[in-house]
Amino acid sequence: MSDFEERAKEAIANPQNMGEMEDADRVGTVGSPDCGDMLRMWIKFTEKDGKKVIDRASFQSFGCQTAIAVASMATELLKGKTSEEAKELSPHDLSGDLGSLPPMKIHCGELVQNALSQALDENPASTEEAVPSAPTLASDMNSASKKGKIKIVPLNSEEDA
Ligand code: FES
């Protein structure tokens, strides 16, 4: 097992910041057309030294374990960053202590990066507008799965394509 796989396994065993955030300011959801995995990220801002910075971030993911490991790292790394700083982070940056993503896993990091940039770019800052109208990731997944658009792979699956 490579160092990356070892560290990813540890991160998956104890993921940080996993779950919906009820008082989030922003939310971003992306799905990968290649593998069918989906990821949603919530962001909450705070004011520090006159700057608007990320107070906390959380995520929910269905599918790939690498995306879960990266999202777990990324949601820790984002704390204290401004929107602009967060937008500049590459998938490798977001992987933090996991180390460089193997070539086959780069798109897993991009899924996290895309969810983050969607949250930062496209969704209203107002909690009233953003969050209550946002369906849960599970409901999105269920309806997409019923329409035969995606295949759901349980998190405890050995399969980590
Ligand atoms: Fe789909 Fe990793 S995000 S395999």
Side-chain angles (χ1 to χ4, degrees):
M1 197 182 277
S2 72
D3 284 358
F4 176 85
E5 284 166 351
E6 283 284 352
R7 288 191 286 262
K9 215 174 150 191
E10 280 168 31
I12 293 157
N14 183 25
Q16 306 296 303
N17 311 306
M18 192 154 78
E20 294 182 35
M21 191 192 293
E22 288 191 359
D23 60 344
D25 294 322
R26 303 282 184 96
V27 58
T29 308
V30 287
S32 164
D34 296 331
C35 61
D37 291 337
M38 284 179 77
L39 192 118
R40 175 165 289 172
M41 192 176 279
W42 288 265
I43 303 278
K44 179 79 183 168
F45 288 105
T46 189
E47 192 86 8
K48 197 175 166 201
D49 301 329
K51 280 196 295 187
K52 188 176 162 191
V53 298
I54 295 172
D55 184 35
R56 55 203 151 87
S58 75
F59 74 98
Q60 262 190 346
S61 172
F62 281 79
C64 163
Q65 303 204 329
T66 302
I68 293 169
V70 175
S72 169
M73 284 286 166
T75 47
E76 282 292 299
L77 279 173
L78 289 169
K79 290 177 186 170
K81 298 220 179 320
T82 64
S83 250
E84 291 69 29
E85 289 165 346
K87 277 185 210 166
E88 281 172 14
L89 298 172
S90 70
H92 287 301
D93 295 333
L94 293 168
S95 306
D97 292 343
L98 292 175
S100 281
L101 290 161
M104 291 285 291
K105 305 285 184 187
I106 287 176
H107 79 278
C108 313
E110 286 171 350
L111 192 73
V112 177
Q113 184 190 35
N114 291 341
L116 172 64
S117 77
Q118 201 187 60
L120 294 173
D121 282 346
E122 293 175 21
N123 289 287
S126 152
T127 305
E128 292 82 55
E129 285 175 60
V131 177
S133 63
T136 65
L137 187 55
S139 70
D140 278 2
M141 295 292 288
N142 280 337
S143 90
S145 141
K146 278 189 196 122
K147 288 178 195 151
K149 285 188 188 162
I150 50 162
K151 182 183 108 186
I152 295 180
V153 180
L155 284 179
N156 59 6
S157 163
E158 289 300 312
E159 196 180 315
D160 185 18

